[in-house]
Amino acid sequence: MVSQYGAILSNPEYRRLYPLTEEPRLPLRAVRAMVVDDAPLVPENFDGLRIRLLMANYLDDSVLFPDEKLSRQYNQIPFMTAAYPRTILTAGTDDGFPADMRLAAQQLQQHGVEGYYFHTDEATYGKTRHGHMSALDRDNGAARAAFGHVVAFIGRR
C-alpha cells in the first residue's frame, strides 16, 4: 500500500485509476521518504496458494480467474516516474518478494529517483521470511540490519 500511495501522490495517471472519495491528506511535498517493506507488487509473479488468496482478498478478486485490469492497476511499478518520492525497498529471501522489489528499484533508478534496495542476503542472514522486520523477538540479525538501513536512508538529506 505504501508504494501505491507514492504512485497516487506522484502520478496523476495512476491517481485516476482509483475512485478515492477525497484527496490524500499527506501531500507529496511532505513526504521525506517512502519505505516499501517486502511488498508484492506484480500480480503475475504471485506464486503459491497463500499469496494468491491473500491478494484475491485484498483486491476483492477471484483466485481462479483474476481480473487482468485490476491486476494491472495494482502493479504501480509502470507508474513510478521521476516525481516518485525517494524510496528504500527491503526484501526477505524465503517467501518475500525480492524480484518485485528489484523491479521497483530498477524503475526508480531509470527515472533518476533516489532509491536503495536492501535485501537480507541468504549467505549473511540465512532464509528470511516475508515480515522479517516485524520479528525482532526472534531476529537473526536481518531485522536489525534492515531497520538500520531504513533509518539511515530516512536520515539522509
Side-chain angles (χ1 to χ4, degrees):
M1 289 184 219
V2 171
S3 57
Q4 286 177 305
Y5 195 73
I8 286 170
L9 290 178
S10 63
N11 188 333
E13 181 183 347
Y14 191 70
R15 163 64 177 89
R16 284 190 291 275
L17 296 176
Y18 289 89
L20 301 178
T21 57
E22 62 182 66
E23 289 302 309
R25 295 188 182 204
L26 182 65
L28 181 60
R29 70 182 178 282
V31 176
R32 183 173 176 147
M34 304 291 290
V35 178
V36 181
D37 176 28
D38 209 10
L41 303 178
V42 185
E44 299 81 39
N45 292 346
F46 297 165
D47 190 26
L49 183 58
R50 284 188 331 175
I51 188 63
R52 293 179 68 80
L53 285 169
L54 175 74
M55 294 314 300
N57 183 54
Y58 178 73
L59 297 173
D60 194 22
D61 197 11
S62 166
V63 174
L64 299 175
F65 305 105
D67 180 332
E68 287 183 32
K69 180 182 175 200
L70 193 59
S71 291
R72 280 192 308 275
Q73 176 181 326
Y74 178 78
N75 179 6
Q76 63 279 337
I77 293 174
F79 297 94
M80 292 175 160
T81 66
Y84 199 88
R86 58 193 290 274
T87 301
I88 182 168
L89 303 115
T90 69
T93 57
D94 193 24
D95 63 353
F97 303 95
D100 290 5
M101 298 293 91
R102 255 190 311 279
L103 285 172
Q106 290 167 354
Q107 178 77 352
L108 294 174
Q109 184 180 21
Q110 287 175 357
H111 288 288
V113 174
E114 180 188 357
Y116 180 68
Y117 170 53
F118 174 77
H119 67 95
T120 58
D121 69 282
E122 199 169 331
T124 305
Y125 303 106
K127 291 190 177 203
T128 51
R129 301 184 66 80
H130 176 70
H132 68 277
M133 286 181 67
S134 64
L136 285 170
D137 61 330
R138 56 188 183 283
D139 183 34
N140 61 359
R144 282 184 199 75
F147 274 112
H149 285 271
V150 166
V151 170
F153 182 83
I154 291 171
R156 285 199 308 260
R157 264 280 183 171

